[in-house]
Amino acid sequence: RATRERALHRLTDRRYDVLVVGGGVTGAGVALDAASRGLHTALVERVDLAAGTSRWSSKLVHGGLRYLAKGDLRIAAESAHERHALATTIAPHLVRPLATIVPLDDNTGPWMGALTEAGIRLADLLRVGSRTPRTVLPPPLRVSAEAALLHAPGLRREGLRGGIVYWDAALEDDARLVIALARTAAAYGADILTHCAAADLTDSSATLTDEFTGATVAARARVVVNATGVWAGELEPGVHIRPSRGSHLVVRSSALGDPRAMMTAPVPGHVGRFVFAVPHPDGVAYIGLTDEPADGVDGLAPAVPAADEEFLLATMSLALQRPLTAADIIGRFAGLRPLVAPAATTPAATTPGAAYRRRVAGRSQTHLTRGFGSAETADASRIHVLLDEPGRPVSIIGGKLTTYRRMAQDTVDAVCRRLAIARPCRTATLPLLGAATPQVLRAVAAPPRLVRRYGTQAPAVAGLAEEFGAWLAEPVAPSCPTIGVELLHGVLAEGAMTVEDLLTRRTRVCLIEADIDAAIPVAEQVLDLAATIQTTRGEARRHTVEA
């Protein structure tokens, strides 16, 4: 809280180079890119880091296979390139290789199986082109029915001819990626302020409101960046977003036969579209994904409609020996993709004489309209768009989690052009806090689960129990893998201010509905403890300064 108060004070009497509005993966990525280039940077977020779409993803770092199926070769290649950077340099502690099994059964006839394998092998060429070594992501292969069942024992045996195994990458936790980006930006000097709403954006100013006190301040910056995702249109009239809901179900891995690989099931009547089950090391699996228009839906915590739940259960069950039922569900979540509406509907693009520039990472704008002729959003391009109009904020919209870094690079390049400076991007080879090579991570003296979430900082997180009480080494709820030190670290080092910050974003206790009530009193106790620790540390600093 003291750090936040000092940052609020700085916002009232300093002029920043860059003010980033939005604390999702894109905004945090922009803040890191700008700060690492030496720009005086602040990020403000109305709720909390990863409060919206960025915490509701499928927890995957896609290499582009899905986009190849839609003919978006440029996006597929960019995805493979960014996956390489995340898995090998930026966040190896948060990104792990993930085998995927495509069963060849009655749902996937010989012709469809051959077509699927061709697409997978083409995607592997993108892996080769991005220089991701086989030791990180092995090449695909066909396997027998027996081998397919070794990867996924829960597969339906009847009609199983074999399978195709290919490798992609999975995230330990999408929210933790955002937290790591923000903390690394802070390490480079950026001010990160949550629970601070922005309004009245111009190209060089914004009105900020402290969500705790209601106090308002006028913040000034040489460039303002709008990176608010599905809310971008509320702050910039020239932005038009078409939200798409991606629903997920959480089940115990045992309900799927404890798979060692991500399992897929083709959506009937669609070519190249699948429902999948992503196994997580904590013993759960995430089943997704829907892609439905969601205009007017709450972007912070979209509900999972009954129709989405039925669709996911029914489709995934097509590939399973034991069909799933509603009784298997232990959690639900959905996120809204900030898809870009067609350029022709953007007023700034059609205003005569408007000084308007649209930069789309070198791609044709014809991709923007794909899929928007009807209510469907599944076929809409995941392209990102940069709006850079003189006299207005720079707005970055669209895109997807895997390509956040490239989106941030394009944005800060535009900022540098406005500032008439030349400072190269560094983030492609810049590790986040906690990142290290697999060899180093294996040697970290801390519980493996903490290493997966905090990397080289895991010993410091675990050590909080020795310093402040052994109860912090215990689970925050029965059978919950999250332990108390993760909550305390969330307050002391990661800017968490509320119980919700702790249980829904610094940790993901919220993903299992039965754990939430039991964890709330523990989170409240941790917040009280953290307040005492911070007061004591503040007094110690004051006495040191006086001495």
Side-chain angles (χ1 to χ4, degrees), residues 149-475:
L149 290 170
L150 287 176
H151 283 87
L155 287 175
R156 185 166 61 93
R157 272 88 168 156
E158 183 181 357
L160 185 64
R161 308 186 307 274
I164 305 169
V165 177
Y166 71 93
W167 292 78
D168 215 327
L171 267 174
E172 167 67 22
D173 184 341
D174 43 11
R176 291 230 53 84
L177 174 63
V178 179
I179 302 301
L181 285 165
R183 291 195 68 212
T184 309
Y188 277 90
D191 283 324
I192 310 293
L193 291 95
T194 60
H195 301 280
C196 183
D200 305 322
L201 268 62
T202 73
D203 61 338
S204 59
S205 66
T207 300
L208 306 181
T209 302
D210 186 335
E211 294 289 283
F212 291 131
T213 67
T216 62
V217 300
R220 297 173 299 124
R222 298 171 69 190
V223 181
V224 174
V225 173
N226 175 10
T228 53
V230 292
W231 296 276
E234 297 178 9
L235 298 175
E236 173 51 69
V239 170
H240 292 261
I241 299 295
R242 181 77 187 278
S244 165
R245 182 183 60 248
S247 295
H248 301 76
L249 306 176
V250 185
V251 302
R252 298 289 181 192
S253 292
S254 56
L256 301 169
D258 292 314
R260 299 174 179 84
M262 181 169 76
M263 305 168 67
T264 65
V267 176
H270 291 261
V271 177
R273 187 180 174 198
F274 295 84
V275 164
F276 49 79
V278 184
H280 189 275
D282 282 344
V284 298
Y286 308 124
I287 298 176
L289 181 69
T290 63
D291 201 330
E292 300 295 335
D295 297 306
V297 174
D298 173 28
L300 285 178
V304 176
D308 286 11
E309 184 173 309
E310 293 169 4
F311 163 76
L312 292 173
L313 288 174
T315 306
M316 194 69 238
S317 293
L318 293 175
L320 298 175
Q321 183 72 16
R322 184 187 77 82
L324 295 169
T325 70
D328 293 309
I329 301 172
I330 60 174
R332 303 161 178 83
F333 65 91
L336 298 187
R337 305 174 186 86
L339 302 182
V340 184
T345 65
T346 304
T350 57
T351 302
Y356 181 84
R357 289 175 292 168
R358 183 188 295 270
R359 294 190 173 87
V360 197
R363 300 176 184 83
S364 167
Q365 287 194 39
T366 59
H367 290 281
L368 291 174
T369 59
R370 184 175 300 158
F372 282 107
S374 66
E376 292 293 330
T377 56
D379 292 329
S381 177
R382 270 48 174 172
I383 201 169
H384 69 266
V385 175
L386 182 70
L387 302 182
D388 182 8
E389 181 186 2
R392 301 300 306 163
V394 174
S395 293
I396 180 68
I397 51 180
K400 56 200 185 69
L401 184 143
T402 302
T403 59
Y404 82 87
R405 193 207 62 81
R406 181 53 193 265
M407 295 168 66
Q409 178 180 339
D410 291 346
T411 304
V412 181
D413 284 347
V415 168
C416 289
R417 285 191 293 269
R418 285 198 182 190
L419 298 177
I421 59 176
R423 297 191 182 175
C425 177
R426 302 175 53 193
T427 54
T429 57
L430 193 156
L432 301 183
L433 290 179
T437 64
Q439 294 81 3
V440 171
L441 292 172
R442 284 194 291 269
V444 173
R449 183 178 179 278
L450 293 184
V451 177
R452 294 199 320 263
R453 299 178 65 79
Y454 304 94
T456 58
Q457 297 192 325
V461 177
L464 293 173
E466 297 180 9
E467 187 174 0
F468 298 110
W471 63 276
L472 291 167
E474 299 299 321

Side-chain angles (χ1 to χ4, degrees), residues 101 142-149 160-163:
I101 179 74
R142 275 218 181 205
V143 297
S144 65
E146 292 77 11
L149 290 170
L160 185 64
R161 308 186 307 274

Side-chain angles (χ1 to χ4, degrees), residues 465-523:
E466 297 180 9
E467 187 174 0
F468 298 110
W471 63 276
L472 291 167
E474 299 299 321
V476 300
S479 73
C480 177
T482 301
I483 60 177
V485 291
E486 297 180 68
L487 303 185
L488 184 57
H489 180 76
V491 182
L492 297 181
E494 297 178 344
M497 310 286 286
T498 68
V499 168
E500 186 178 5
D501 292 349
L502 289 174
L503 300 185
T504 67
R505 293 174 285 268
R506 300 311 178 279
T507 66
R508 307 314 300 279
V509 174
C510 67
L511 294 181
I512 300 178
E513 294 163 2
D515 292 339
I516 298 174
D517 288 344
I520 288 174
V522 181

